[in-house]
Amino acid sequence: MLKITTRTGLNVGTELIIDEVNRTFQLVVAGNLIAKDGVSMQALYGKFVDLWSTATYQDSPFPMNAIDALSGQYQIGIDAGGNANGWKPLDVTTRQTMRDGGWEEYDATGTLLREYAGIVGLGVVSAGSQLYYTRTPTEAPTNFTFKDQCNEGIQVYGDVNNGNFDNRTFFKAYVREQGKTYKDSILADTGKTATGPYIVNMLLSNSSDLKITASDSTMTTSPYNNVTVTYYTTNQTRSIGGVSYNYNVIINGNGATLEQIYTKIQYLLRQTTDIDSGTGTVIGQTADLLCGFVGDTLETTTGVFIDNIQNADSNRVKFKDVTGIFRLNPFVSSGSLTFNNALVGTGAVYRLMYTSGYGTSSAVTVNDASGVPVTGSISSTPIQFTYDYENDTAGGGANTDKAVTLVGVKPGSAKFSVATGIITRSKSIVLSLVAQADRAYI
C-alpha cells in the first residue's frame, strides 16, 4: 500500500480519530494507513475540509490552516482567519506519519509551541538505507524514523515546555551505507538558508560503490588496520613536485592501494566513535567526506593529503590543498627489471645507465624517483624501479623518453650481459636481462 494522498483514503474511526473535546486528532496505523508510507498533509487538510462541511463538526473551530500546499506550509491550532484554537496532533506516532510538509503548532492563546520542517529527500537510495541527520553542527546524529528515502516532519523548534530549543539555522542529512557511494546534503544544496514549517529538500542518493575492496570485518587486518586519519588545528606542509602546500587532515595510507585506502576511510566515516588518530575528537558518522573516486583517480576534499601511497598510484591521486586547489604529483614512471635465473643470487649485481654515456668514462647511472641510483644486488627477480619522468634531466631533457642500458653479472654463474630499452611515460615499463651461463670462470 502507498502513501495516502487523497482525503478519501482517511476514514474517521479507522485511520483518523478526532477528539473535539480535547481538540486532538490522531492518525492510526490501520485500514489504508501504513506508518512508513504515511499520509500527505494535503490529504489530511482536505479531509478536515470535508468533515467541517458537515453539521457534525461545525460547532468546533477548524483544526489547521493550509498556507501553501506546493511548498508544504501548514499551521495547526490556528484557522485561516488567524484565530488560535489549540488543536494539535495527539502523539508522536501521528506526527511521524505526516508527509510532504512542515507545520507550526499553536496553543489556544496563539503561542507557538512547536515547529516541524518537512524533510524530503530527492534522489534514489538503496533499499534498506538508514538515513540520518543533525540539526546543529555538533549534535549527535539521529536516524530518520523509517528506512529508505526520507520524508518526515522533524522538530526544529520547541518552546520551554516542548524541548526548549531553536535549531532552525542548520540541517544536514546523510546516507552512508557499506558498499554504496556516500552523500551528505545541507540546506544550501537547494537554496535554503534555514529550516521552517515547510518542505526542505535534501539531495540524497547512493549507488553501488565499485571501489570498495573489502567488507567491514576485514578492516582489522593488514593493510587496512594501519590506514588512519589525523585532524590538525594547524596547517601541515607537504611537498609536491618540490613545492610545499598546506593541508590540515592527513591520511596515513600505510602503503596500501588507493582503493584499499578509500575502503578504510569510508568505513571510518560510518563509525559512531572518534576516528581522529590525533589529539582531537571527530565522530565518524558526522565527519565531512575525505575523498572520492572520479573514474580511477582518487580526489581528496579540501585540506586532505594522503601519506604513504604506492609508487604505482602516485599519478592517479589529486590532493586538494586548504585553498581548494588540486595539487598533482609530477609523473613518475615505474616498471620492473627482470633477470633470468642464472643472474639471481649471491654475488649478482646490476646497474641501469643512460645509453648516451654508456661505454665511456662519463656513463651516468639512472636515479629512481627519490634520487637513489638504480643499481645493486640481484637477490630476486623482478626488481621494481621508479623514475621522475617530468623532472629528471641527467640523461637528456626533462619530460622526454630516455634510452637506457641495463647491465648485470653473477661471477661463476652468469656472464656479463647487456640489454637496452626505453624509459617512457608509463607505469608498466619492463626491461629484461638474459645472461648466458658462465662455465669458464674460475
Side-chain angles (χ1 to χ4, degrees):
M1 197 169 294
L2 301 176
K3 174 176 62 182
I4 296 174
T5 57
T6 64
R7 60 190 186 278
T8 57
L10 291 172
N11 299 287
V12 176
T14 303
E15 298 89 3
L16 177 63
I17 295 176
I18 297 176
D19 183 344
E20 291 184 85
V21 174
N22 294 304
R23 296 186 179 177
T24 64
F25 63 89
Q26 180 183 11
L27 292 170
V28 181
V29 179
N32 299 319
L33 182 55
I34 295 176
K36 182 177 179 180
D37 297 331
V39 55
S40 72
M41 296 286 291
Q42 190 172 11
L44 178 62
Y45 171 77
K47 185 64 178 182
F48 285 145
V49 172
D50 280 356
L51 294 175
W52 261 255
S53 68
T54 68
T56 302
Y57 295 96
Q58 288 174 348
D59 55 350
S60 294
F62 194 74
M64 64 186 295
N65 178 32
I67 298 175
D68 178 50
L70 183 62
S71 60
Q73 298 184 63
Y74 297 90
Q75 296 172 315
I76 298 175
I78 196 167
D79 64 19
N83 303 302
N85 52 54
W87 276 92
K88 64 181 180 181
L90 177 66
D91 52 23
V92 171
T93 299
T94 298
R95 295 182 176 98
Q96 289 176 342
T97 311
M98 289 155 44
R99 303 280 177 266
D100 302 336
W103 67 91
E104 298 166 316
E105 296 180 16
Y106 291 89
D107 67 10
T109 68
T111 300
L112 178 63
L113 304 178
R114 297 166 176 251
E115 191 169 298
Y116 288 78
I119 306 300
V120 179
L122 299 180
V124 177
V125 299
S126 54
S129 293
Q130 179 60 73
L131 281 61
Y132 57 95
Y133 63 88
T134 54
R135 296 168 298 179
T136 73
T138 58
E139 78 171 350
T142 301
N143 287 339
F144 285 98
T145 302
F146 304 101
K147 292 184 178 181
D148 302 323
Q149 188 58 281
C150 59
N151 185 344
E152 183 177 352
I154 302 299
Q155 188 179 0
V156 293
Y157 170 84
D159 73 355
V160 66
N161 296 313
N162 293 281
N164 194 27
F165 65 91
D166 186 348
N167 293 334
R168 292 177 286 190
T169 61
F170 180 91
F171 200 92
K172 188 173 184 178
Y174 310 74
V175 55
R176 297 182 180 180
E177 295 286 310
Q178 199 281 331
K180 305 293 182 181
T181 56
Y182 291 0
K183 180 67 176 178
D184 305 344
S185 183
I186 59 174
L187 291 172
D189 289 340
T190 52
K192 288 186 171 60
T193 58
T195 58
Y198 41 73
I199 290 174
V200 176
N201 292 125
M202 294 281 114
L203 305 182
L204 296 168
S205 61
N206 67 7
S207 59
S208 295
D209 193 339
L210 302 181
K211 296 300 184 180
I212 297 296
T213 59
S215 64
D216 287 357
S217 62
T218 312
M219 295 302 101
T220 57
T221 64
S222 180
Y224 302 99
N225 56 332
N226 289 320
V227 174
T228 61
V229 57
T230 304
Y231 294 78
Y232 294 90
T233 56
T234 58
N235 288 331
Q236 309 295 302
T237 60
R238 290 295 186 271
S239 177
I240 302 175
V243 180
S244 293
Y245 301 101
N246 289 327
Y247 296 86
N248 50 32
V249 179
I250 305 297
I251 295 171
N252 176 14
N254 192 38
T257 67
L258 294 181
E259 285 77 10
Q260 290 170 331
I261 295 168
Y262 172 75
T263 296
K264 176 60 180 294
I265 293 303
Q266 297 302 84
Y267 167 81
L268 291 175
L269 293 176
R270 287 184 286 110
Q271 304 310 300
T272 60
T273 53
D274 179 21
I275 65 170
D276 185 1
S277 292
T279 59
T281 299
V282 178
I283 303 302
Q285 267 193 325
T286 53
D288 291 337
L289 299 180
L290 298 175
C291 54
F293 275 95
V294 177
D296 289 327
T297 299
L298 185 65
E299 297 182 354
T300 71
T301 56
T302 301
V304 180
F305 189 86
I306 308 174
D307 284 338
N308 302 320
I309 63 173
Q310 294 185 3
N311 288 327
D313 287 336
S314 65
N315 294 121
R316 61 186 193 99
V317 60
K318 298 165 70 175
F319 308 105
K320 188 179 287 188
D321 66 19
V322 295
T323 69
I325 298 175
F326 280 118
R327 308 297 179 179
L328 284 67
N329 288 317
F331 190 87
V332 174
S333 296
S334 61
S336 58
L337 309 177
T338 66
F339 307 90
N340 66 331
N341 290 336
L343 273 169
V344 179
T346 303
V349 295
Y350 73 96
R351 182 181 176 190
L352 185 65
M353 292 168 281
Y354 294 104
T355 302
S356 58
Y358 179 67
T360 71
S361 59
S362 60
V364 177
T365 302
V366 174
N367 286 342
D368 68 15
S370 61
V372 177
V374 183
T375 184
S377 301
I378 309 173
S379 58
S380 63
T381 186
I383 294 174
Q384 305 299 321
F385 75 97
T386 61
Y387 180 75
D388 187 356
Y389 186 89
E390 288 190 3
N391 298 301
D392 196 299
T393 59
N399 206 29
T400 58
D401 293 353
K402 305 293 193 313
V404 291
T405 298
L406 176 64
V407 302
V409 63
K410 182 182 178 185
S413 175
K415 294 180 179 180
F416 185 88
S417 302
V418 179
T420 59
I422 303 291
I423 294 180
T424 62
R425 189 182 180 90
S426 171
K427 296 287 188 181
S428 56
I429 300 168
V430 178
L431 301 174
S432 298
L433 188 59
V434 178
Q436 297 179 11
D438 190 351
R439 295 180 176 87
Y441 179 84
I442 58 173

